Amino acid sequence: MSDVYAVDLALDIRASVPGSVLADLRWHLGIEGGEAAPAGMYPLLAERGPAARIGGIQVGELARTDDGWSLTVRQEMHAEVVPELDSLAERLVGNSGTEGVVGQIRFYEEDVPELLVNRAGELVKMSLVPAEGGSG
């Protein structure tokens, strides 16, 4: 059994985002150096290329827009770094103009993800329940 999660994020970040949050995001994407990482930390969103467990490819793109930044991420990560991901996602959502669903996280052996939702600048995790039975 593995402890890998599939993580998807897609949101817009306002131009007023604090420089420290943007620098942290850029470090996690692997597009900006900066200070040495604390022991045991590594960029969460920097992997590129084929995913080992979740299928497809891993990506992490940050693009400048007229109103700020657009972020799209698809990564696989181990369970022990999910709290760090939650912290980063909270900071991003707090600076995002994207309301509603901004991503999802799914244990790779499960079929149903947990949605990551922006509710008035707060990150809310919403568990989905699989449908029972058929369509009839």
Side-chain angles (χ1 to χ4, degrees):
M1 181 180 253
S2 179
D3 58 350
V4 173
Y5 284 81
V7 176
D8 298 284
L9 296 172
L11 64 146
D12 294 329
I13 302 166
R14 292 187 292 268
S16 61
V17 61
S20 60
V21 174
L22 188 58
D24 193 32
L25 172 60
R26 292 176 63 84
W27 181 80
H28 277 292
L29 287 166
I31 55 178
E32 187 170 281
E35 297 180 19
M41 286 185 61
Y42 63 89
L44 297 174
L45 312 175
E47 294 298 320
R48 304 295 184 267
R53 301 279 182 154
I54 64 173
I57 61 170
Q58 296 182 95
V59 299
E61 294 292 329
L62 181 66
R64 189 77 162 116
T65 68
D66 290 340
D67 300 325
W69 302 89
S70 288
L71 174 69
T72 298
V73 171
R74 182 170 193 276
Q75 297 283 304
E76 63 182 16
M77 58 189 61
H78 291 278
E80 67 267 10
V81 299
V82 170
E84 187 178 343
L85 172 71
D86 289 344
S87 175
L88 177 60
E90 287 171 359
R91 288 176 296 188
L92 296 175
V93 163
N95 290 283
S96 176
T98 306
E99 285 289 324
V101 176
V102 296
Q104 64 182 13
I105 184 168
R106 176 183 58 83
F107 181 63
Y108 109 97
E109 293 178 345
E110 296 291 329
D111 294 329
V112 180
E114 184 173 52
L115 296 181
L116 305 176
V117 180
N118 180 355
R119 292 280 184 243
E122 297 291 324
L123 179 65
V124 176
K125 288 187 171 183
M126 185 179 297
S127 297
L128 299 178
V129 179
E132 292 187 31
S135 60

